[in-house]
Amino acid sequence: MNFSIDSTVTLNNGVKMPQLGLGVWKINNAGAAQSVQWAIKHGYRAIDTAKQYGNEAGVGEGLTKALADNGLKREDIFLTTKIFNGDQGYESTLKNFDGQLKNLQTDYVDLLLIHWPVDGKYPDTWKALEKIYQEGKARAIGVSNFNITRLQDVLKNGSIKPAVDQMEFNPLCQEVDIKNFCDEHNIHLEAWSPLGGGTVLGDERLQKIADKYNKSVAQVILRWDLQQGIITIPKSVHEERIVQNADLFDFELSDEDVAEIKGYDEDKRSLWYGGFKWHGNPTGFGDAVQSWEDTGEYAK
Ligand code: A2P
């Protein structure tokens, strides 16, 4: 398998999306501006943010600087953002999305996702995304954290098929049924927190595999994502880790090792429903996170 940092997957509307990008969850504006600049300097061509992260302005600033510093054009970068839970609904999504573009210092995004499936609202939010797509302000649209039932709902009632479902995905949380459903319907699975937010990195079994290839556990996990066709967006605020997380192209995991890691699945979703607290964003975005309830409907 011949991958490079420029490797792309082709989404179901023909748009090409880099398979590796930088994620910026839990980074403030200044940190996001810095991480985005490091990432682009070191060859990343995709950035993933969300209004809920409270750092779109930092991403916009970092992106604008990085384009100038590296002689790149806006179209050289694949930019993803997401609709904030509190903005969901048709009119509200349309109204607030323009503010997101302004913060991101761009007049379009490459991929726009519904961040979470706010029940009762996401069907109208999806209609707004379809309009944004038709107006050319998003080159592709998709969802995040949607289980099979909700994906089926969007497929049935929407007029455009989601291009991507961005899910929590790491060796201990593989969402096998959702991945199979996505494969069947030509929806690309994208992994959020591919390193399990760092928690998977101490796994001794993965360390053993990493030692064999003379790579880090992070690199083994990210390479494992790529070899399965999964889009992956590791986050880091450290330049050397940003570099390390893109140094994935001088080794290949054997089929046995890919299968071995598949065997580690524990269906273990993260702390999201377990009391994660926002780090104090004055805009109040954090309220939506804290008031998010796990109704149990999320289960497969
Ligand atoms: P930091 O940002 O301080 O570098 P995920 O992408 O799964 O959410 O994981 C992100 C977490 O993993 C962050 O805590 C990040 O810390 C850490 N991390 C990212 N890349 C590496 C790496 N190559 N080695 C060790 N830790 C990493």
Side-chain angles (χ1 to χ4, degrees):
M1 268 176 270
N2 231 347
F3 289 109
S4 76
I5 198 165
D6 297 319
S7 291
T8 56
V9 294
T10 302
L11 303 179
N12 59 26
N13 67 348
V15 164
K16 290 191 189 323
M17 174 170 186
Q19 221 184 320
L20 176 73
L22 176 78
V24 295
W25 183 34
K26 293 200 221 174
I27 313 184
N28 64 18
N29 274 308
Q34 179 63 79
S35 288
V36 166
Q37 286 176 83
W38 280 329
I40 292 175
K41 180 174 99 182
H42 293 297
Y44 285 65
R45 292 296 176 262
I47 308 291
D48 178 281
T49 184
K51 181 167 176 177
Q52 194 155 307
Y53 302 167
N55 61 19
E56 285 180 316
V59 168
E61 185 193 322
L63 180 61
T64 300
K65 283 192 185 150
L67 294 182
D69 291 350
N70 296 282
L72 296 169
K73 299 197 206 74
R74 168 67 186 86
E75 55 268 34
D76 295 324
I77 304 297
F78 192 101
L79 180 62
T80 299
T81 196
K82 314 184 192 84
I83 300 297
F84 177 50
N85 289 343
D87 290 346
Q88 286 209 34
Y90 185 75
E91 293 299 341
S92 175
T93 295
L94 293 179
K95 192 170 116 225
N96 285 289
F97 178 60
D98 284 338
Q100 293 186 254
L101 289 180
K102 208 165 155 225
N103 278 336
L104 290 164
Q105 302 187 24
T106 184
D107 49 16
Y108 73 95
V109 292
D110 295 278
L111 177 63
L112 181 62
L113 305 177
I114 299 181
H115 202 153
W116 286 89
V118 177
D119 287 318
K121 286 205 168 171
Y122 73 75
D124 285 341
T125 310
W126 186 251
K127 287 199 181 91
L129 259 59
E130 291 180 336
K131 182 159 166 41
I132 288 167
Y133 176 73
Q134 276 146 2
E135 286 172 343
K137 291 186 199 169
R139 294 176 64 229
I141 53 175
V143 295
S144 185
N145 303 300
F146 274 49
N147 65 0
I148 291 175
T149 311
R150 294 186 180 109
L151 280 172
Q152 279 168 329
D153 189 25
V154 175
L155 289 176
K156 189 164 151 244
N157 295 309
S159 44
I160 299 173
K161 192 192 247 203
V164 164
D165 190 7
Q166 187 183 113
M167 296 297 300
E168 179 174 17
F169 182 92
N170 66 65
L172 304 187
C173 174
Q174 299 187 28
E175 298 291 8
V176 175
D177 295 345
I178 295 177
K179 166 87 170 69
N180 289 340
F181 183 89
C182 284
D183 287 349
E184 272 165 36
H185 290 86
N186 198 11
I187 296 168
H188 270 88
L189 191 77
E190 180 174 16
W192 67 251
S193 274
L195 310 176
T199 58
V200 185
L201 299 175
D203 188 295
E204 282 174 17
R205 299 164 301 177
L206 287 165
Q207 187 62 58
K208 243 176 159 176
I209 296 174
D211 291 345
K212 207 163 70 181
Y213 293 94
N214 211 9
K215 286 283 175 181
S216 70
V217 171
Q219 289 170 321
V220 164
I221 295 172
L222 297 170
R223 178 77 199 193
W224 176 72
D225 288 347
L226 297 182
Q227 287 184 212
Q228 295 181 84
I230 286 165
I231 303 163
T232 193
I233 45 168
K235 168 260 175 186
S236 181
V237 294
H238 295 100
E239 185 172 15
E240 69 279 9
R241 288 180 177 169
I242 289 172
V243 171
Q244 185 197 123
N245 293 346
D247 179 13
L248 310 174
F249 309 109
D250 58 355
F251 77 116
E252 178 171 350
L253 295 172
S254 67
D255 292 346
E256 293 73 28
D257 285 331
V258 169
E260 162 77 18
I261 301 171
K262 280 188 179 179
Y264 299 164
D265 188 19
E266 294 175 8
D267 218 4
K268 186 177 169 186
R269 296 191 188 110
S270 78
L271 36 87
W272 186 271
Y273 300 114
F276 168 70
K277 286 215 173 25
W278 189 255
H279 52 71
N281 189 302
T283 59
F285 294 149
D287 295 342
V289 178
Q290 284 152 12
S291 67
W292 184 258
E293 271 180 58
D294 179 7
T295 59
E297 290 169 52
Y298 185 74
K300 283 185 258 184

